[in-house]
Structures are given as C-alpha cells and as structure tokens.
Amino acid sequence: MIAIKRLTGAALMLGWGLMLVVGASAQAEPKRVVALGGEITEIVYQLGAQDQLVGRDTTSTYPEAANELPDVGYFRQLGAEGILSLKPDLILATAAAGPPEVLEQIASTGVQVEKLPSEHSAESLLEKVARIAKVLEIPEAGDKLASSLRQQLDEASASIAAMGDKPKVLFIIGTGGGDVMAAGEETAANSLIKLAGAENVFADHKGYKTMSLESAAVAAPDAIALMEHTLKAMGGVDKIADHPALKLTPAAQTQRIVARDGTYLLSFGPRLPEAMTDFAKAIRTEGRSSH
Amino acid sequence: MSLRNLHEAQERSRRILLLVLAAMLSVSSFLALAVGPVPIGAGDIWAALWPSEDLSRDAQIVQQIRLPRLILGLCVGAVLGVCGAALQGLFRNPLADPGIIGVSSGAALAAGLVIVTGNTFASGFMEWAGNYALPLGAFAGSMIAIVSIYALSQRAGTTSGASLILAGIAINAMAGAALGYLTFLSSDNQLRQLTFWTLGSLGRITWDSLVPVAVLMTIAVALTLRKAAALNTYLLGEREAGHLGLNVERMKKTLIVLGALGVGSAVAVSGIIGFVGLAAPHIIRLFAGADHRIVLPGSALLGALLVMCADLIARTAAAPAELPIGVLTSALGGPFFLWLLGRYRRELF
C-alpha cells in the first residue's frame, strides 16, 4: 500500500514537473506588445516584461525608459495603422482606449487585443496585474506583484485610517478663463480622494464640470489638489492662494495646495499605494503649517 | 440656348479636364492603398483586393483598414464636392459650403443627439435603425439646417448672399452651443465620440459601418449629377427658368433633400471635414467656367481627390499617431476662403 502511495506520489510529482517545464517553455516565447495606458505600461515594467514592449501611448511616461518607445498617440485618439506598423501581436489596452472602431480594425487583422478594466479602484489594479500576467504567460511574476501590491495597499489603507480626520478636498482638473474645472463623482480624482480618507467638496456633480470660483469659495475646502501641469497653467501656488475667490478658503490660507504628477496621482497603476499615502498626508499637512 | 452651343474645342478641353482628374484620382487611390505607416508590398495589396480566408497580416491591413478607408474617402470627398457645387448653384452664392452655411454642424448636432440621448429617449428608434441610426439622425439634422437656411435667406424670391452667410453663422453658433451643452451632459465616453464629430476623421470606418452610408452617398452623388442641366437653366434666373419649362420648386426641393442626405451621411461617418465643398467647385470653375455639366462631375472628382490627399497626410505625417483630417482641410481651406471673400467682396454686400 505504502509503495503504491509512493508511486502515485512520484507520478504526481512527475506530472507537476512536466507541467512546470511546459509552462516554462511557453514563457520563453516573447511577444511584441503595445501598451495603451500609463498604468498598463507601468504594470508591464513591474512584471519585468518590458523587453516585449514595442510601443506605448502618450500617457505612458513612467518609468523614464518608457519614453524611448515609439508613441502611438493619445490612447483615446488612436489610429489603427500606426499601431500595426509596430508589428505587434498583442495590444494591452485600457477599456477607455479608443475609438472602439480602431481597436476593432486592429483585431480584424488578427492581432490579439486585450481590454483591461479602467475602474479607479485597488481591486481593478489587482485584476489588471493578474490579466496582464496571464496574457504575457508569466503567472508567477503576476502573483508576486499582486501579493506585494495587496500588502502595500493594506498598509496604506491602515495608515490612512489611522489619520482619523476627514478633510474636505477640491480637485482642480483644469482651468479656462475665470472658472475652474473640478472633479466630481465618478472620476479618478474622486476615487483617490475617497481612498485618502477625505471628502470631495464637488461630489454632488458627475464627471469633470466647470465650477464657478464663487461656489469653490463657499465649499471651503481644507486642501486644493491639482496636477503639476495645471498648477503651472494657473500660475503657481501663490497665484491660487491670492485668487480673489479662493483666498477665503482654508486651503488658500494655509497654502495647502497639493500638486503632483498626473499619471502618478490618477492612473491607478502600481504606484497607487505610494500615491494614496503621499496624497493623504499632503492634504492634511502640506502648506504653510508644515514649512 | 448659348450653353448648348459650346464650341467643340471647349467641349474637348473639358473632357480632358475630367480625364486628368480621374487619372489623378486613380493615382491617389493607389497611393491610399500602397502608402501608410506599415510598408506593404504590391503582392499583398493585390491579394487584399480579392475575398479570401487566408491572407497575410499585411494583406489584411489593406483589406480591413486601407480599402474601406479608401472607399469612404472617395464617397465623402465626392459628396462634399458635388453638394457644395449644387448648393452654390441653388443659392446662387459662391460662398455656399455645407460647412459655412451650417449644414454640417446641423448634421453633427443631430449625430451628437443620437449619441448622447438616443438610448435614453428613443431606444425603439435606435434598435430599429441599428447602423443607420447615426446617418439617419445626421440626415435629419442637415435637412432641418438646410431648410431653415433656405427660408431665412430668401428675400423677395431671390437668395440674398449676405443673409445666407449670416443665417449660416447663426445656425453654426446655435449648433455649437447645443453641442457644447451636450458635452456638458455627456459621459466621458460620449464626450470622446462628440469631439470626433468636430474634428473629422476617416480612421474609424469598418466594413460594417461603411456599407449603409456608402450606398446613401452614392445615391446622393448620382442623383445630384443628373440635375446639371436643370441647374444651368436655373442660373438664368428663377422666372426665366420657369418660362423655359423647368419645374423650379421641384428642382429646389430635390437638391435640398439630396444635399441633406449626402452631407448628413458624410458627417455621420467622418465628422466635419470643412472647405472641400467650397474649394472643389471653385477650382473647377476657374479652369472650366460655370457650366454645371462640368462643375458637378468635376467637383465630385476633385472633392474626392482633395479628401484622399488630406487623408494621406493625416495618416502618415505623425505616424505612428494620426492627425484629424478636418484639422488639415480647415488649415488649408481657411486661407482659401479668405481669398474668396476678398474676391467676391463687392458682389456680396
């Protein structure tokens, strides 16, 4: 009996071994991959599969080395032939990539088009990691990255929960004339604010909408957040703090004006845990009081 | 009937003009298939022209991407050229262009309405119309625009040039405002679709979406071409044309419907591609005079040629990214329009 058990055990081991070998040989076949979406490019790099990348979209600017890849344009305004000229056999595209007809055209020439979720959440990030690892046939690297990310995310949430208070945040996404475009419900910025344990003052609006400066003042945000390039376009921290309508807000008075790189803050890629913690700290401490 | 007794030499030179245009169009059509960000050999291009299950990747690129795009470019260019020429004849105004007098923006607005509100307010229609929903909506929009422009610009039985352009400006502004409001209402995804209408592109076409609009555009071009002789008579003046036995009202209505159908379908699949309807007929008139029997087919050929050339630049200049074609035609057409304004200033006001 024992001998038979040992035998089946050995056979099972052999089977496992064979499967591993087969798995390894499948890994060995490199693909030509075009990544459409900054967070997708980042994940491919984190998985160590960057050698397979042959193209990227305009928003894929991190890590630095990604900038060397050919740029196929903004991921919402793609052209089929340009992408096909890179001779890809796999397109990793965020669900927001388009126009959809262009992705259809690409698929109709026999190229695999993998559409990845674009929700702004930690779960969606982990799902993206798992699916990219799967299509690139590197499941171990995927598991490793996913569990490391999960741990970092848990740590980040715990440290944010420990901060206790719930500051009010206004996220300015752009500016035109006298008004500002603010991020409302169902935006990446809104999800980030929530993850950072804060309250979005513009949450009763959906999407990115123009907000009059007057209502920005009435909302009395404790912190104003924006992307670095928006800050530059608006003339810097002092300009915002001295703005006739904004200067009465607590945010302007403490100069709690948080500006970060857009992809880093809002792409919900592998740097999310870092961005969450950093943002959560900044909207509570940055500004005059901390200097 | 001086128009019928044209000198034979003139007749021949016109035929040569059409032949030259057709030859240039063939060359540019070949270029449209052969040139692109992906270098493709002649063998693959030839293979792609025939239905086959087993095609190389390059041949598939030609068959699935370049070929439908070529056909779309031909149709859209021909429609814009010929409708521009017909509208200029109908309004007796050299500045009548589907873009300038608001027909295109009427179509774009209606297309926008279909995108943003179609599924909420008219789901039955959307289901029934399927792939035709956008072209039909755009047709209705351009129809409303064209009829109101016509009504607004009529003064004592004739079309006033200034009020035509002013009505066009007003309609463009209103359609722009309404489109702006739609962008405010729309979701992120719908917003992307809307921006597409205002910039124009031939890059989104697939065989499925091409077939219905290509049929509509071909009908519009073919039937408009048949109105050449009637438009010539109409040039003499409305009353005179009536005396010569032309049913003026019916011709007007036919041209309005055809113009709306053509421009509406073109806008529905390619967005607003400006100035082709203005430039093509004027260039033909410069070479061959005002006879619609040459202006209409010539504008169709030249319109197609202009769109194909612009699209060639759009596809290749920024490769692997792509430029919006409407931006290109407007960048080239804008200065041309200013030149026209200068030329016709005295006649207009």
Side-chain angles (χ1 to χ4, degrees):
Chain A
M1 274 305 276
I2 293 166
I4 291 172
K5 262 192 184 165
R6 280 220 180 119
L7 210 64
T8 37
L12 273 175
M13 296 272 280
L14 194 69
W16 272 110
L18 274 174
M19 277 171 71
L20 281 178
V21 171
V22 172
S25 70
Q27 278 175 35
E29 192 185 319
K31 289 189 155 74
R32 292 179 63 85
V33 181
V34 174
L36 305 174
E39 77 282 17
I40 290 167
T41 307
E42 276 184 49
I43 292 173
V44 173
Y45 269 87
Q46 288 281 320
L47 289 170
Q50 63 271 29
D51 292 344
Q52 304 188 42
L53 284 177
V54 294
R56 53 145 192 143
D57 75 307
T58 310
T59 64
S60 298
T61 52
Y62 185 90
E64 197 59 41
N67 291 303
E68 315 257 310
L69 292 163
D71 178 357
V72 297
Y74 184 49
F75 67 80
R76 294 182 195 276
Q77 289 165 352
L78 301 164
E81 255 210 81
I83 294 175
L84 289 171
S85 72
L86 304 170
K87 297 193 176 26
D89 34 37
L90 174 65
I91 311 288
L92 295 173
T94 158
E101 293 88 346
V102 166
L103 294 175
E104 257 173 59
Q105 290 171 346
I106 294 174
S108 72
T109 67
V111 176
Q112 185 186 357
V113 177
E114 189 72 17
K115 280 200 188 174
L116 299 156
S118 62
E119 285 84 44
H120 308 114
S121 68
E123 296 76 49
S124 147
L125 166 63
L126 295 173
E127 193 191 330
K128 270 181 281 195
V129 169
R131 291 205 15 213
I132 292 173
K134 196 175 157 217
V135 288
L136 291 176
E137 293 165 32
I138 40 175
E140 296 92 46
D143 290 344
K144 218 171 112 190
L145 178 59
S147 65
S148 137
L149 278 176
R150 193 184 301 275
Q151 193 191 339
Q152 291 175 49
L153 284 165
D154 288 346
E155 283 168 15
S157 315
S159 77
I160 289 165
M163 294 176 188
D165 60 334
K166 205 170 170 137
K168 291 197 281 183
V169 179
L170 168 67
F171 204 113
I172 298 177
I173 210 81
T175 169
D179 289 337
V180 294
M181 287 271 274
E185 190 99 63
E186 290 176 20
T187 60
N190 188 59
S191 308
L192 180 73
I193 292 171
K194 275 196 198 149
L195 282 177
E199 181 192 337
N200 183 2
V201 294
F202 204 51
D204 48 351
H205 289 74
K206 249 188 208 170
Y208 300 107
K209 295 279 149 70
T210 305
M211 180 192 217
S212 73
L213 289 172
E214 214 169 294
S215 49
V218 171
D222 300 308
I224 293 173
L226 21 64
M227 293 183 274
E228 260 162 6
H229 68 90
T230 320
L231 180 70
K232 214 182 255 171
M234 291 183 74
V237 171
D238 294 334
K239 255 292 182 16
I240 294 177
D242 286 343
H243 195 284
L246 289 176
K247 74 177 173 195
L248 298 172
T249 64
Q253 279 163 4
T254 53
Q255 290 210 346
R256 191 156 295 160
I257 292 161
V258 179
R260 298 285 187 277
D261 174 64
T263 319
Y264 163 69
L265 266 197
L266 300 178
S267 72
F268 283 70
R271 286 180 292 165
L272 177 63
E274 189 192 338
M276 264 164 72
T277 328
D278 170 26
F279 186 72
K281 271 188 203 143
I283 54 174
R284 288 172 172 88
T285 57
E286 208 162 276
R288 199 170 278 154
S289 52
S290 69
H291 284 284
Chain B
M1 290 294 288
S2 64
L3 283 171
R4 299 214 169 185
N5 301 329
L6 290 164
H7 298 295
E8 252 176 52
Q10 205 180 353
E11 195 80 50
R12 202 177 313 131
S13 72
R14 289 174 173 188
R15 214 167 290 145
I16 290 172
L17 177 69
L18 288 186
L19 279 175
V20 168
L21 280 173
M24 285 166 74
L25 194 57
S26 313
V27 172
S28 73
S29 300
F30 172 74
L31 286 178
L33 287 182
V35 179
V38 185
I40 294 179
D44 281 320
I45 296 172
W46 182 250
L49 298 180
W50 314 100
S52 156
E53 289 297 303
D54 178 40
L55 284 177
S56 69
R57 169 78 60 86
D58 284 357
Q60 278 184 332
I61 289 177
V62 175
Q63 191 174 67
Q64 298 297 330
I65 297 173
R66 289 190 189 169
L67 197 54
R69 190 168 182 159
L70 161 69
I71 295 171
L72 179 69
L74 289 172
C75 289
V76 167
V79 138
L80 292 177
V82 90
C83 289
L87 287 178
Q88 285 153 24
L90 180 68
F91 288 121
R92 285 206 202 80
N93 188 308
L95 301 180
D97 164 83
I100 294 166
I101 63 174
V103 183
S104 299
S105 50
L109 172 59
L113 277 171
V114 170
I115 292 172
V116 177
T117 63
N119 283 320
T120 329
F121 295 117
S123 52
F125 166 74
M126 295 293 279
E127 214 165 288
W128 173 76
N131 269 344
Y132 287 86
L134 267 181
L136 280 176
F139 167 62
S142 51
M143 188 77 191
I144 293 170
I146 216 168
V147 168
S148 34
I149 293 158
Y150 189 76
L152 286 168
S153 64
Q154 287 293 303
R155 193 183 289 162
T158 57
T159 317
S160 144
S163 58
L164 172 69
I165 300 300
L166 291 176
I169 290 172
I171 287 189
N172 270 326
M174 289 189 294
L179 265 175
Y181 186 64
L182 278 182
T183 61
F184 183 78
L185 290 180
S186 61
S187 73
D188 211 31
N189 226 347
Q190 292 166 338
L191 186 66
R192 311 294 157 184
Q193 283 181 281
L194 283 177
T195 13
F196 158 79
W197 300 106
T198 49
L199 291 180
S201 161
L202 300 179
R204 301 169 51 134
I205 201 72
T206 55
W207 281 110
D208 289 346
S209 48
L210 174 67
V211 174
V213 286
V215 169
L216 294 179
M217 286 192 279
T218 312
I219 292 173
V221 171
L223 293 183
T224 311
L225 286 178
R226 292 177 54 182
K227 292 287 165 201
L231 271 171
N232 278 344
T233 317
Y234 182 70
L235 266 188
L236 300 173
E238 222 161 288
R239 193 177 299 162
E240 292 79 352
H243 289 319
L244 286 168
L246 178 71
N247 187 338
V248 174
E249 279 312 307
R250 217 178 81 194
M251 187 208 69
K252 279 191 197 167
K253 278 180 194 146
T254 316
L255 283 178
I256 285 179
V257 171
L258 290 176
L261 180 68
V263 175
S265 320
V267 170
V269 277
S270 59
I272 297 181
I273 299 178
F275 292 105
V276 174
L278 184 73
H282 279 282
I283 296 172
I284 298 294
R285 282 194 205 99
L286 276 180
F287 280 101
D291 182 353
H292 282 95
R293 282 172 303 172
I294 181 104
V295 171
L296 289 185
S299 303
L301 291 172
L302 185 60
L305 184 65
L306 290 176
V307 167
M308 304 287 293
C309 293
D311 194 44
L312 193 64
I313 302 175
R315 289 192 302 134
T316 51
E322 214 168 273
L323 292 171
I325 186 175
V327 173
L328 280 170
T329 57
S330 297
L332 299 172
F336 182 74
F337 183 62
L338 287 179
W339 173 79
L340 269 186
L341 269 182
R343 208 182 139 186
Y344 287 105
R345 198 169 30 199
R346 263 150 273 122
E347 297 165 37
L348 260 182
F349 295 104

